[in-house]
Amino acid sequence: MRRFITRNAPGYTFLLPWLIGFFLLTLGPILASLYLSFTKYDMVSAPRWVGWDNYVYMFTRDRRFWKALHVTFSYVALAVPARLIMALAVAMILDKGLRSISLYRAIFYLPSLLGSSIAIAILWRQLFAKDGAVNAVLSFVGIDGPSWITDPNTSLYTLVVLAMWQFGSPMLIFLAGLRSIPKDLYEAAEIDGTPAWRQFTRITLPLLAPVIFFNLVLQTIDAFKTFSSVFIISHGNGAPADSLLFYTVYLFNEAFSFFRMGYASALAWVLLVIIAVFTGLAFLSSKYWVHYENERD
Amino acid sequence: MTKITRRTLLGTMGAAAAASAMSAIPGFAAERTIRHFWWGNPERDKRTFAVIDLFQKHHAGIKVSGETIGWKDYWTKMATQTAGSNMADLIQMDYRYLFEYVHRGALKPLDEYVGKTLMLADFDAAPLSGGKVDGKLYGLNIGSNSQVLVYNNKAFADAGITADVINWTREDFPAICEKITSASGGKMKGSDDLSTSVDIMQVWVRQNGREFYDADGKVTATADDIASFWDYWAQMRKAGVVSGKDRTVVINPPLSETGIVTGGTAISQFWSNQMVGIQALMKDKVGAAMFPHKKDGPYGQYIKPSMFMSLTRDVKDVDAAIAYMNDWVNDPESTQVLGLERGIPCSPKVRAALKPTLSDTEKDAVAFFDAIQDRVGKLPLPEPKGAGEVYELFTRTASEVVLDKIKPAEAAGQFIQDAQDIVDRAR
């Protein structure tokens, strides 16, 4: 025991700031929220234990919960592939060996840094307003565009476009992945006269699979958690007509607008389970389409 | 990779939980300090900080720290601070939330200070009693107001409209909107589409002879009340004499984006104390109108305390806080600075002192207030818990009606039922 302490004490001492942060600011609140999810808690009076009531209400009576799930799933299903395709496409262009590539890399990465900021969300609202910049451009070609953001039929797509625009970080990872594919494979394919499309499906995609998988998992998790941009664009409550009622926005409203912290905590735990299930599914499916170089079949 | 995943995940989870785990941050100041928290706009903030300066000059040794934020975020921040036992000593309160906060034990009654350090002797009794809950005074009225339709004088003159805007009726209104729209060649619509306005919906229900809630928190407004309200606006929308859908579904836009200020419409709906703020943003002169009433029926509007100042359960220095409150409603210099921006003061002395200094718009606001005195109904009963959520439900459902996603009659039935569910669940 003493040996353990003398050997590890310096290490833990250096870790202390992080450990304190983890137990106080992360683990503590997580456990607290688990407890609160079984209570009725309005943030002013003390929490009152209600057992599974919150979860039962959520699945049996709460129409907005299902609406929020619907909106969030639609978004994830559209935004994740859109962003990954965009990221891969740009990565492949950059991989062709442009001059001053580091400059382009930086420029293309920029939207990812800005994308989740409040300023961009406000800009987005202006761009896609009835009298916004997008419609101004469309009017040149004689199209009278709708009010993209306040029309519930199109509002979700403006967010998908925003997600697509922030392709920077998966793009960088794709670029690194592309760089690690041996060039002689393509040379051999050239000699055999393999068309470019087949080179892409037979060489690039299979060899890039681990990287695609990595990006897929991270981006899916990211998409489920989208909050700040939607919060601003939807005026904080999923407007218009709940078409932007993302799960996180619904959760926030239950907690901070309607003072149902207990119920909101239950919602948070359900979101955790949903994300865990999707990540788990991705890992299970990866056996069939992701192969690593050092693996033998 | 799993590590990153897990950490990011935990991050989200923490968001909701963090607020509950946050604890009070102790103050370190040696001198006496009070915190005052209000929702505001640039004009209100300027006046309030000026009053704070005055108070600090009069009471050396007491420091006041002012905190301000917009209406919408105010209640979110308030909820978080309440949960963290970190409320400001003095907060601005709204009639809509007063009962909710009192019933949750977040506010302290003022009765024991009244007549000792808080002098309210000659104040109007009716507006003052609006701050009472269960017989105790929890909110000090710092101004009264009423619903108002603000109209563009020039647009009315251009269209040749000479209607009596206090006594006009629901039947007159669409024709007037039509006149304004055609006089401007369709560029300026007659009015904002008020389908999503909770305030006007409530007036409408009262004009039909009912209150929205009864004393037990039962929803007494009928589906017919709501359906006819939405129908009324739907017809004007069809005629193209009110603002477009994309404007209507933006709920609570900032003053600068409302129809009358942008020039998109000639009429927008506000609370009477906001007139000064609107005029400040406009070139054309504005006027004040009542919401058109049902022929031979009641007018439906009411005068309510526009804002209260309340003492919170987390107050540290009660004496300093009460002294500040007292100056707010009695000190001649402070009340002069505040003017009518928060509403009509309920001290006759203060009103008399203000009279010679009023701007034209303020005079109009006072004249409007005088004109409606004997036409308004009584203050609605305190609303049940969950009323705030019912408001949101209303604007949401109204948006769906405006966007033609659901028929008014069907939406109204659903709304009444859901509203009752919300109130029942909040008990």
Side-chain angles (χ1 to χ4, degrees), chain A residues 173-188:
Chain A
I173 297 167
F174 276 138
L175 193 55
L178 289 170
R179 286 288 161 90
S180 68
I181 298 175
K183 288 284 169 281
D184 41 0
L185 291 175
Y186 293 105
E187 281 160 19

Side-chain angles (χ1 to χ4, degrees), chain A residues 2-283:
Chain A
R2 174 177 291 167
R3 234 181 99 206
F4 176 84
I5 290 173
T6 46
R7 191 189 295 166
N8 294 314
Y12 282 109
T13 311
F14 281 114
L15 271 176
L16 209 56
W18 185 85
L19 284 176
I20 292 173
F22 174 74
F23 282 108
L24 243 60
L25 300 177
T26 309
L27 194 63
I30 286 175
L31 294 177
S33 94
L34 181 61
Y35 164 71
L36 288 177
S37 76
F38 293 100
T39 64
K40 184 173 175 153
Y41 178 41
D42 65 9
M43 300 213 277
V44 180
S45 20
R48 202 178 74 231
W49 186 265
V50 293
W52 290 94
D53 277 10
N54 287 333
Y55 293 93
V56 172
Y57 181 89
M58 196 186 305
F59 285 100
T60 55
R61 300 202 39 209
D62 189 353
R63 271 180 289 141
R64 282 192 102 199
F65 166 71
W66 294 106
K67 175 75 189 169
L69 278 183
H70 178 81
V71 171
T72 310
F73 279 121
S74 315
Y75 173 77
V76 171
L78 290 169
V80 173
R83 184 188 285 183
L84 290 183
I85 290 168
M86 186 79 180
L88 184 55
V90 176
M92 288 182 67
I93 293 168
L94 291 185
D95 188 43
K96 289 285 174 257
L98 289 171
R99 240 181 292 165
S100 54
I101 183 166
S102 50
L103 176 71
Y104 284 108
R105 250 190 343 228
I107 290 174
F108 284 123
Y109 189 68
L110 213 55
S112 306
L113 295 176
L114 298 173
S116 57
S117 76
I118 304 300
I120 291 297
I122 291 171
L123 175 74
W124 222 250
R125 215 159 66 185
Q126 198 285 329
L127 277 180
F128 289 93
K130 176 76 191 163
D131 48 3
V134 169
N135 281 345
V137 171
L138 285 179
S139 70
F140 279 123
V141 286
I143 300 172
D144 181 24
S147 172
W148 303 91
I149 298 246
T150 54
D151 183 340
N153 297 317
T154 53
S155 52
L156 190 62
Y157 300 110
T158 63
L159 276 149
V160 172
V161 174
L162 177 60
M164 225 168 122
W165 184 60
Q166 302 163 47
F167 58 82
S169 70
M171 182 269 290
L172 283 188
I173 297 167
F174 276 138
L175 193 55
L178 289 170
R179 286 288 161 90
S180 68
I181 298 175
K183 288 284 169 281
D184 41 0
L185 291 175
Y186 293 105
E187 281 160 19
E190 285 291 336
I191 291 166
D192 287 345
T194 320
W197 173 248
R198 282 184 76 85
Q199 288 183 27
F200 176 71
T201 53
R202 290 298 165 89
I203 302 174
T204 313
L205 278 186
L207 287 175
L208 210 55
V211 178
I212 296 175
F213 172 64
F214 176 81
N215 273 336
L216 178 73
V217 171
L218 278 197
Q219 296 305 323
T220 306
I221 293 172
D222 224 40
F224 270 116
K225 300 190 313 179
T226 308
F227 176 71
S228 54
S229 49
V230 199
F231 184 75
I232 298 297
I233 291 174
S234 74
H235 293 271
N237 57 15
D242 275 357
S243 65
L244 293 180
L245 188 70
F246 278 52
Y247 196 95
T248 48
V249 171
Y250 181 51
L251 192 160
F252 177 89
N253 271 306
E254 285 292 306
F256 294 104
S257 303
F258 306 144
F259 313 114
R260 281 196 287 262
M261 195 47 96
Y263 190 65
S265 298
L267 283 169
W269 279 88
V270 169
L271 179 62
L272 173 76
V273 170
I274 290 171
I275 294 180
V277 166
F278 270 81
T279 311
L281 283 178
F283 270 93

